[in-house]
Amino acid sequence: MSEIKSSELILNPDGSVYHLNLKPEHIAHDIIFVGDQNRVEKITKFFDSIEFSTQKREFKTQTGTLKGKRITVMSTGIGPDNIDIVMNELDALVNIDLETRQPKENLTKLNIIRIGTSGSLQADIPCDSFVMSKYGLGLDNMLRSYLIDDISEKEIEDAFIQQTNWDLRKGRPYVIACSETLEKIIESDEIHKGFTGTAGGFYGPQGRVLRLNIQDTDLNSKMDAFNFNGTQMTNLEMETAAIYGLGKLLGHETLSLNAIIANRANGTFSADPYKAVDELIAYTLKKLTE
């Protein structure tokens, strides 16, 4: 196999990957994603020690140890486009020899868990509860740049298109399941599960209207009502489906968790959203280190 060209896998002068500013030794095999760079230290403050820290643009990374387990925490910023950068560069760190620019013969599997905040779409998923994304439902088109037919849930995609009267001029939605391995580690009877919608933007793509009219003014209510064999839409955000898709394509385990800080169905907001996030962080770290 010919080497991967420097225009395709870009490295910094010190040999680190271009956007994340990381070398292979800087990351653990267990990784926690957050969107906000300021949330990284909300997690690593619980660590027993921190061995490495760096930041380039919105990508902040800290690696340390908690109860003997090495964990990396990384901020991804917002949106599927950032996830495309983060997932590909993380995979390159463990599965491409950066000196020879050749894929390694023996591939490494990363465990990646996203911890975020979101608003619930269902009245029975209250503020301060936790949601696990059983499926990521991508509305963003980014993953369609890759060959995803073997990993996507076509029957669910067809049902979503039919039930919402989705306009295919916006692209075909894709559905990717979470990692069953991580699901078993993290789940509990108190965690809600369902479809997490991943939009390519915050305003129009999520049905928000400021000064611009949108293509489907009823899309939010139709998504709220979407149901496939008893599984409903739980929340809407901008990263999960992209993480799930690239994770499956690259051979990594991925899971997305959200602290629910608002309930759009009944118009309520958490009395203490920071407490809800802290509790989800503590819960996740406990499960990872048991």
Side-chain angles (χ1 to χ4, degrees), residues 45-276:
K45 70 180 181 181
F46 294 104
F47 286 11
D48 300 319
S49 62
I50 296 175
E51 67 184 65
F52 175 79
S53 182
T54 192
Q55 181 167 2
K56 184 176 181 182
R57 306 184 189 184
E58 62 267 52
F59 306 115
K60 181 173 183 175
T61 302
Q62 289 190 335
T63 296
T65 303
L66 175 63
K67 298 180 181 178
K69 190 178 189 69
R70 192 166 181 254
I71 301 172
T72 292
V73 183
M74 174 182 296
S75 62
T76 65
I78 299 173
D81 51 342
N82 274 18
I83 296 303
D84 184 54
I85 290 171
V86 171
M87 292 293 293
N88 276 289
E89 291 195 4
L90 280 177
D91 180 75
L93 288 171
V94 295
N95 289 324
I96 296 175
D97 186 317
L98 300 185
E99 293 186 3
T100 65
R101 294 181 168 274
Q102 297 276 357
K104 295 179 180 178
E105 184 175 345
N106 298 313
L107 300 180
T108 296
K109 184 187 294 288
L110 298 173
N111 297 316
I112 299 170
I113 297 178
R114 178 182 183 271
I115 296 178
T117 59
S118 189
S120 165
L121 303 181
Q122 306 297 334
D124 61 352
I125 303 178
C127 292
D128 305 323
S129 62
F130 301 159
V131 162
M132 176 187 293
S133 305
K134 180 69 175 176
Y135 298 92
L137 198 163
L139 311 173
D140 57 279
N141 284 329
M142 185 279 289
L143 204 66
R144 291 286 177 192
S145 295
Y146 299 95
L147 302 175
I148 66 171
D149 285 350
D150 290 341
I151 64 164
S152 61
E153 306 285 341
K154 298 179 186 63
E155 187 179 1
I156 303 177
E157 295 168 4
D158 290 340
F160 179 81
I161 291 167
Q162 181 179 21
Q163 290 185 35
T164 63
N165 193 28
W166 181 263
D167 189 338
L168 288 175
R169 289 177 298 177
K170 295 189 293 186
R172 180 182 171 89
Y174 61 91
V175 177
I176 313 291
C178 73
S179 160
E180 293 183 1
T181 300
L182 292 180
E183 179 184 7
K184 291 176 182 177
I185 292 172
I186 300 297
E187 69 179 347
S188 78
D189 292 339
E190 300 175 1
I191 294 182
H192 300 269
K193 296 182 183 180
F195 295 104
T196 291
T198 295
F202 184 76
Y203 289 97
Q206 294 191 39
R208 293 182 173 92
V209 177
L210 300 184
R211 289 202 315 116
L212 297 176
N213 293 329
I214 58 175
Q215 181 270 332
D216 187 350
T217 57
D218 297 323
L219 179 60
N220 277 12
S221 60
K222 289 188 287 188
M223 285 197 298
D224 294 354
F226 174 60
N227 188 303
F228 184 84
N229 293 341
T231 301
Q232 294 180 294
M233 292 283 291
T234 52
N235 59 316
L236 186 62
E237 45 84 272
M238 296 178 64
E239 290 83 29
T240 294
I243 294 171
Y244 283 10
L246 287 171
K248 270 200 165 45
L249 289 172
L250 292 167
H252 305 299
E253 306 288 350
T254 58
L255 188 69
S256 181
L257 304 171
N258 274 275
I260 297 301
I261 62 173
N263 185 294
R264 194 175 70 188
N266 56 35
T268 57
F269 191 83
S270 172
D272 190 350
Y274 298 107
K275 181 173 181 288

